[in-house]
C-alpha cells in the first residue's frame, strides 16, 4: 500500500514539477512541421529554377531560330543576286562592243611542271632504316 502512493506521487511530481513540459508527440509534430517546411521551400525553389531555366532556354531558342531564319533569307538573297550578276556579266561579255574576246589556244602559255627529284640520303633526317632482325616492334 505504501508503494502505490509513492508512485502516484512521483508521477504527479513529474507532471506538476514542470507544467510547461511539451509532450513527446507534440515535439515530434513540431519537428516534422519544420522539416516539411524546409523540404517544401527547397522543392518550390527547385521548381521555380527549372521553370525559369525552361522559359529562358525557350526564349534563347526562339531568338536563335529567328536569327537562323534571317541568315537563311540573306543567303538566298545573296545567291540569287550572285546568279543574276553572273547572268548580267555573261550577257555583257557576249555583246560585240564589250572588248572581250574568247580565249584562243594559240595565245595561251603552257608550262611544263618541274620534275621532282628524290632527296639524297644525307638529307633524310630521322631514324635509321630498319634492320633485318625480326624483333617485335610493340615490346
Amino acid at each position: 500500500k505504501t508503494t502505490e502512493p509513492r508512485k502516484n506521487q512521483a508521477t504527479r511530481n513529474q507532471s506538476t514539477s514542470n507544467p510547461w513540459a511539451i509532450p513527446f508527440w507534440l515535439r515530434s509534430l513540431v519537428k516534422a512541421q519544420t522539416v516539411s517546411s524546409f523540404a517544401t521551400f527547397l522543392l518550390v525553389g527547385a521548381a521555380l529554377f527549372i521553370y525559369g531555366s525552361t522559359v529562358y532556354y525557350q526564349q534563347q531558342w526562339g531568338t536563335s531560330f529567328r536569327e537562323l531564319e534571317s541568315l537563311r533569307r540573306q543567303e538566298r538573297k545573296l545567291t540569287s543576286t550572285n546568279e543574276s550578276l553572273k547572268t548580267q556579266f555573261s550577257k555583257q561579255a557576249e555583246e560585240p562592243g564589250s572588248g572581250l574576246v574568247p580565249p584562243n589556244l594559240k595565245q595561251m602559255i603552257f608550262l611544263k611542271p618541274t620534275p621532282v627529284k628524290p632527296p639524297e640520303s644525307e638529307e633524310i633526317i630521322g631514324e635509321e632504316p630498319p634492320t633485318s632482325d625480326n624483333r617485335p616492334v610493340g615490346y
Side-chain angles (χ1 to χ4, degrees), residues 119-125:
E120 296 180 15
S121 63
E122 295 174 0
E123 294 178 7
I124 297 177
I125 300 173

Side-chain angles (χ1 to χ4, degrees), residues 38-116:
F38 183 71
T40 303
F41 177 73
L42 287 178
L43 288 174
V44 167
L48 288 175
F49 175 75
I50 291 171
Y51 175 74
S53 63
T54 302
V55 169
Y56 173 75
Y57 288 128
Q58 284 179 347
Q59 287 176 347
Q60 290 296 108
W61 185 86
T63 303
S64 297
F65 185 75
R66 284 189 294 277
E67 185 178 344
L68 176 65
E69 288 299 315
S70 172
L71 289 172
R72 285 181 179 167
R73 278 192 300 275
Q74 288 178 4
E75 180 186 23
R76 286 191 295 271
K77 285 180 183 177
L78 286 173
T79 303
S80 65
T81 302
N82 189 23
E83 292 302 319
S84 66
L85 286 174
K86 282 182 185 178
T87 305
Q88 183 181 359
F89 290 148
S90 65
K91 287 180 181 178
Q92 285 178 356
E94 291 174 355
E95 292 178 2
S98 67
L100 297 174
V101 282
N104 186 356
L105 290 178
K106 292 180 181 177
Q107 294 176 345
M108 288 188 173
I109 300 173
F110 293 99
L111 300 175
K112 293 181 183 178
T114 306
V116 179

Side-chain angles (χ1 to χ4, degrees), residues 10-32:
T11 55
R12 200 179 316 143
N13 284 342
Q14 286 177 352
S15 64
T16 58
S17 66
N18 190 358
W20 301 105
I22 300 173
F24 175 74
W25 63 271
L26 187 57
R27 283 184 290 176
S28 300
L29 286 176
V30 169
K31 192 165 284 251

